[in-house]
Amino acid sequence: MRNQSIPADCHKTTSMNPVITSIYTADPSAHVWEDGRVYIYASHDVDPARGCDLMDRYHVFSSGDMVNWRDEGEILGSEDVKWGRPEGGFMWAPDCACKNGTYYFYYPHPSGSDWNSTWKIGVATSLEPTRGFTDQGYIQGLGGFAMIDPAVFVDEDNRAYMYYGGGGKCAAGELNEDMISVKGSMKEMEGLEDFHEAAWVFKRNGVYYLTYSDNLEGNNCMRYATSDQPLGPWTYRGIFLEPTGCSTTHGSVAEFKGQWYMFYHNQELSGEGTLRSVCIDELYFNEDGTIRTVVQTREGVKPVGEAPLPNPEMKSYDAADSEAGGGAFISVTEEGRAVAAGMYAAEAYCRFHAVDGGAKGGRAEIRLQYAAAEPLAKLRLMVNGKDYSLINAPSTGGKTAFTGCTGLTVHLEPGSGNFITWTGGNGDIRISGMTVSPLD
Ligand code: FUB
C-alpha cells in the first residue's frame, strides 16, 4: 500500500455523456443544497435488468463543479421499507426536498405483490443529504391512478408542494409542515398537453415551470408549461427535449452557479431501455422566458468552479499487492506497472486484502484503475462478502491503455481487515490498482 494523489484519469475536464457510467442510473432529480454542491437523486437500474421490476438501492451523486461527480453511496433499498412490496424491487423515480434542515426523500414503491395497483409514495428522512435516511412510511390518502414519479418543490416562502402522476394524469397539492401529509386534497393539474409522467417543477424570475414527459410511442419527448401559481392552472409552452433514444424519458432542471442545466437519461452505454444512464447538458431560456430546445451532446458540460481536491485520506493499493486467481494472474509491464490481467472468466478474481476502513469505518469511495479493449467490460464488486453487483468498465481503447477509472461507494468496517474482491463479469479487463477514500 502507498499514499499518492488522486489518479489523473479520475479527474474529468468535461463531464461527458453519460456522466455516470459505473452503474446504471435514471430519472435524475437534481438539487443544489445549502453547502453549494449539486446533488442528483436517481433511480438505480440494477444490472442485469428485468424490465423496470428490479430497480432498487438508490444512490446519490454530488459535485462541486458539475463535471466530477462523486458517488455518495446507497441511501435506501426496498428491504428498508417495512410496508413495501414483499418481493422488493420497483423503487422508481425519486426526489428529495430540504425544509428547515431536514432532507425528505420521496420515492414511489408498491405496498403489495400486485405492484401495478398498490403504488404508494414513501418518505424517508435524514439530517444529511447523502446518508442516514430512515423510512417514515407513505403519504396517506393519495391514489386513484398511477401514483409514481413524485417531485417536491419548496417555494421561496418555504411552502412545499408535491406533484406526481403517470398514465396520463398529473396531480399536485400542498404538503403540511410535516412534509409527509397533504394539506386538503390533491388536485389534477390543468393545462398540460399530452402529459405522460415525470413531473418536475422549478421557478425562475417568479414564473413556475412544470416539465414532464409526453406520450410519444416508445421514445417520449419532454414538454413544459408555465404558471404564476405553483398549482396552476398551467399554460402549455411546447417541447424542450427531443427523444433521447430511450423508451422512457425523464429529467429535471436546475440552476448551478448561474447556469441552467437539463438532467436526463439515455441508453447510450447499454443499448437497453432498462439499463439507463444519467446525462447533463446546458439549458437556455429565451428573452421571454421560454425554454430553448436542449442540445444533447456527447461532451456534456464544462466545469464551473474548482476541480475537487484529492482526498488527503485516500490510500492506493497496487495490483501487485492483490491476490489473483481463477484465471487471473499478476504480471509486471515494461513500464514496471503491476497488472492483474485476464479478468474475463466468471471465476477469475482479484482480491485486495487488508483494506483500511479507518478508525470508524463507514462509507468509502472505491476507484479501480483499469484497461479494457471491449466496448463495455464489467466486473462484479464484492466487499467483505457483500455483493455490490456489476460495475461497468467502458472501453479505454486498448488492453494496455490504463486510463479507465470506475468504482462505487461502499461500506467498510473499521480497521484494516476489509477485503475487496473484483470478479469476472464480462470482457477482458486488466487492473493496475485501486484507491480507497473514506467519506465519513
Ligand atoms: O424508472 C422507472 C420509471 O420509468 C419512472 O418512474 C418513469 O418516469 C420512467 O422513467
Side-chain angles (χ1 to χ4, degrees):
M1 187 180 71
R2 64 199 148 84
N3 281 305
Q4 64 173 34
S5 62
I6 195 162
D9 38 293
C10 287
H11 268 162
K12 295 194 281 182
T13 50
T14 66
S15 64
M16 302 299 291
N17 278 324
V19 69
I20 294 163
T21 55
S22 53
I23 57 173
Y24 292 108
T25 52
D27 311 324
S29 291
H31 293 278
V32 179
W33 297 138
E34 269 187 350
D35 62 2
R37 290 177 71 80
V38 54
Y39 292 81
I40 293 176
Y41 296 81
S43 303
H44 178 194
D45 286 348
V46 178
D47 184 12
R50 194 180 69 208
C52 280
D53 308 9
L54 299 180
M55 293 168 61
D56 209 339
R57 307 198 301 271
Y58 297 110
H59 278 241
V60 185
F61 302 85
S62 80
S63 174
D65 68 355
M66 200 55 85
V67 165
N68 292 287
W69 287 85
R70 178 166 83 206
D71 172 23
E72 297 282 357
E74 184 183 320
I75 56 162
L76 193 79
S78 59
E79 57 186 37
D80 304 320
V81 182
K82 302 284 174 290
W83 52 266
R85 182 176 184 264
E87 300 85 352
F90 290 94
M91 299 292 264
W92 283 16
D95 190 18
C96 190
C98 180
K99 185 162 169 173
N100 302 335
T102 298
Y103 294 86
Y104 297 85
F105 182 70
Y106 299 86
Y107 60 94
H109 181 65
S111 58
S113 302
D114 178 9
W115 62 272
N116 206 19
S117 61
T118 59
W119 284 108
K120 302 275 184 281
I121 304 292
V123 189
T125 60
S126 173
L127 294 176
E128 297 178 69
T130 57
R131 62 174 181 165
F133 281 91
T134 308
D135 188 59
Q136 306 294 340
Y138 57 83
I139 300 180
Q140 303 289 327
L142 306 183
F145 63 99
M147 211 195 307
I148 60 168
D149 298 355
V152 172
F153 170 71
V154 181
D155 210 342
E156 287 149 312
D157 60 5
N158 216 26
R159 291 168 72 176
Y161 303 87
M162 192 184 80
Y163 306 77
Y164 74 95
K169 207 163 157 190
C170 178
E174 185 172 352
L175 291 173
N176 284 314
E177 277 302 302
D178 63 7
M179 296 288 275
I180 55 175
S181 63
V182 178
K183 199 176 271 184
S185 54
M186 303 289 274
K187 67 169 188 170
E188 193 169 343
M189 294 294 91
E190 289 169 19
L192 309 179
E193 208 167 276
D194 204 22
F195 177 88
H196 178 48
E197 57 189 14
W200 177 259
V201 170
F202 66 95
K203 189 178 185 181
R204 178 180 177 269
N205 295 341
V207 177
Y208 298 86
Y209 291 73
L210 194 163
T211 68
Y212 58 93
S213 64
D214 71 12
N215 291 292
L216 185 63
E217 187 68 36
N219 212 345
N220 337 75
C221 299
M222 286 203 70
R223 301 182 178 220
Y224 75 107
T226 60
S227 176
D228 58 2
Q229 300 292 326
L231 297 178
W234 300 92
T235 304
Y236 175 68
R237 299 290 180 190
I239 290 169
F240 73 105
L241 184 76
E242 296 289 349
T244 65
C246 181
S247 56
T248 59
T249 304
H250 191 127
S252 62
V253 175
E255 184 185 20
F256 182 62
K257 298 189 178 176
Q259 172 66 51
W260 288 85
Y261 296 92
M262 177 76 210
F263 299 78
Y264 60 101
H265 64 239
N266 68 21
Q267 62 180 62
E268 281 299 305
L269 196 58
S270 69
E272 292 180 46
T274 47
L275 291 176
R276 301 162 292 178
S277 305
V278 166
C279 299
I280 308 170
D281 273 305
E282 289 169 355
L283 178 140
Y284 292 94
F285 294 87
N286 295 309
E287 285 281 302
D288 63 0
T290 53
I291 307 178
R292 292 191 203 155
T293 303
V294 173
V295 179
Q296 299 174 38
T297 70
R298 177 81 182 97
E299 298 73 32
V301 300
K302 292 183 253 353
V304 282
E306 299 296 310
L309 294 170
N311 183 328
E313 293 178 62
M314 186 185 80
K315 296 201 169 123
S316 295
Y317 298 82
D318 205 294
D321 299 330
S322 74
E323 169 202 343
F329 55 91
I330 302 279
S331 63
V332 177
T333 65
E334 279 175 16
E335 309 85 54
R337 189 192 285 268
V339 172
M343 295 283 297
Y344 47 83
E347 64 276 12
Y349 69 91
C350 175
R351 181 170 299 145
F352 293 87
H353 292 277
V355 174
D356 191 0
K360 292 185 292 165
R363 294 177 310 154
E365 194 181 14
I366 310 291
R367 302 278 202 127
L368 189 77
Q369 283 78 54
Y370 71 91
E374 318 279 333
L376 181 58
K378 296 181 187 193
L379 286 168
R380 185 169 293 280
L381 170 61
M382 309 280 295
V383 179
N384 297 329
K386 178 177 169 173
D387 186 352
Y388 277 86
S389 84
L390 290 172
I391 306 296
N392 292 324
S395 176
T396 60
K399 59 186 181 181
T400 57
F402 288 93
T403 54
C405 183
T406 191
L408 205 68
T409 288
V410 302
H411 179 88
L412 293 185
E413 298 300 328
S416 56
N418 295 281
F419 61 98
I420 295 181
T421 310
W422 298 88
T423 69
N426 173 56
D428 186 4
I429 179 165
R430 282 142 208 260
I431 296 171
S432 58
M434 181 182 81
T435 61
V436 177
S437 303
L439 293 185
D440 293 335

